[in-house]
């Protein structure tokens, strides 16, 4: 059974689309999904970018905001953009790492995406992440947030960033199947049925 | 009947894929194609780029060279990259403008793409463009090349660049249907059946 590594960033609407689409596709393909939340920040730093390229390159950004509307319609997914873009996704990503250790990483990630891009909520906010954790009933929220912010978990997040750079990942979502890397929600089907 | 404006750049393999795919799709959709060869150079200058982003952002470039191989396989199109990348596409684009005035713009463009990316030929070379024109039997080659290089045609090319920038085009291929702009070979179907 093939494994598809799914690298996703909570600040990325195209990652949101893939997250909401990947499960049935993987089932159909008989593929196992290895979920990997990561941060684009350290990756973009290599290019000299200190924010989203959609803010740096205005034309691309204008296009992006229209394209994700059309794509959301196409996939029949709700889309409401948060007021702040890009989202600060560090806390969500660190919490997701804890989630994958504990067995609730997938449902947490899905809830974050639904809040962020389905409802336009502010998931950079600790209170919002706490509410999501509460609603999922996955344990003591204060303990989870403490674990997310602990040195050990911060180091894990840095290791993920280092690995992303090592793998030449340059955007999100990224899919890795064997030695092949695929970039973009547009490539999900090609990656999974490769 | 809907019209799809097809903005393509001779230096762009993804434009090549779209060029080779667009005709049957347009026929199926009952759409009219308005072919528009253009240059990415002036567009990229706005971003401070003086060459292809695939050379500026190494990781993206490495990915690109692999991705176009996979895409060529997927579309069952021949792919042999020219030794020089990016191609200097100015002469081909200027000649194409003359072609569209005279009624052989489509077949000329197709022949340039076949030479450049199907066979890895050097279409930045005047001799290569002359050979293509000869093979198409579209008139006196010296006259055509003179018209391509004439002030009037150079100005036309500059006007095309200005219009691309005005339309917020930032990459190739780009498709425009009504007020909607679509970027990338991946969006061809969505543009044409929109």
């Amino acid at each position: 059974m093939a494994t598809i590594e799914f690298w996703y960033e909570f600040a990325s609407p195209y990652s949101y689309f893939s997250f909401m689409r990947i499960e049935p596709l993987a089932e159909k393909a008989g593929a196992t999904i290895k979920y990997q939340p990561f941060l684009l920040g350290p990756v973009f730093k290599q290019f000299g970018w200190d924010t989203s390229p959609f803010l740096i390159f205005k034309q691309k950004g204008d296009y992006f905001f229209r394209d994700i509307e059309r794509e959301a319609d196409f996939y029949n997914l709700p889309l409401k953009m948060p007021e702040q873009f890009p989202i600060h996704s560090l806390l969500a990503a660190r919490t997701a790492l804890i989630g994958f250790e504990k067995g609730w990483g997938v449902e947490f990630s899905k809830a974050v995406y639904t809040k962020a891009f389905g409802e336009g909520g502010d998931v950079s906010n600790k209170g919002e992440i706490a509410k999501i954790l509460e609603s999922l009933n996955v344990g003591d929220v204060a303990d989870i947030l403490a674990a997310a912010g602990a040195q050990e978990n911060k180091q894990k997040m840095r290791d993920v960033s280092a690995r992303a750079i090592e793998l030449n990942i340059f955007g999100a979502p990224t899919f890795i199947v064997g030695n092949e890397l695929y970039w973009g929600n547009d490539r999900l089907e090609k990656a999974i049925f490769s």
Side-chain angles (χ1 to χ4, degrees), chain A:
Chain A
M1 186 185 269
T3 296
I4 181 163
E5 270 185 51
F6 172 32
W7 290 71
Y8 60 96
E9 153 66 272
F10 286 112
S12 152
Y14 293 112
S15 295
Y16 158 59
F17 297 148
S18 287
F19 203 99
M20 297 311 192
R21 302 192 315 111
I22 197 169
E23 279 180 353
L25 291 172
E27 198 179 314
K28 205 172 150 192
T32 305
I33 307 165
K34 191 182 169 304
Y35 290 91
Q36 184 58 71
F38 81 114
L39 301 168
L40 279 172
V43 167
F44 285 168
K45 241 179 216 158
Q46 300 175 96
F47 305 145
W49 302 344
D50 58 0
T51 183
S52 166
F54 297 129
L55 296 188
I56 299 171
F57 308 111
K58 194 195 168 299
Q59 292 84 343
K60 227 168 176 166
D62 290 346
Y63 176 76
F64 158 76
F65 281 104
R66 178 66 191 128
D67 190 58
I68 57 174
E69 287 177 355
R70 290 189 307 230
E71 292 292 279
D73 281 350
F74 182 79
Y75 295 120
N76 206 17
L77 288 166
L79 182 71
K80 190 178 172 200
M81 287 295 279
E83 275 178 41
Q84 280 269 336
F85 184 85
I87 294 165
H88 293 287
S89 52
L90 181 61
L91 177 62
R94 282 181 180 160
T95 309
L97 290 189
I98 300 295
F100 282 103
E101 283 172 19
K102 307 281 188 192
W104 43 263
V106 174
E107 54 176 333
F108 171 77
S109 298
K110 202 175 279 181
V112 169
Y113 276 129
T114 297
K115 178 56 71 183
F117 297 120
E119 301 167 15
D122 178 13
V123 298
S124 66
N125 188 295
K126 204 166 188 168
E128 201 61 76
I129 295 293
K131 266 195 243 168
I132 290 170
L133 290 168
E134 265 162 36
S135 74
L136 296 175
N137 197 25
V138 288
D140 185 87
V141 171
D143 285 355
I144 294 168
L145 290 175
Q151 278 311 320
E152 192 191 339
N153 196 52
K154 285 181 180 174
Q155 186 55 48
K156 265 190 196 155
M157 195 78 249
R158 281 191 288 268
D159 293 345
V160 169
S161 296
R163 195 167 159 246
I165 289 169
E166 203 180 288
L167 289 168
N168 287 326
I169 288 174
F170 57 88
T174 289
F175 312 101
I176 298 179
V177 181
N179 290 320
E180 298 284 331
L181 184 151
Y182 298 83
W183 169 53
N185 175 55
D186 303 305
R187 290 287 184 279
L188 173 54
E189 282 81 355
K190 284 176 184 170
I192 220 161
F193 295 105
S194 64

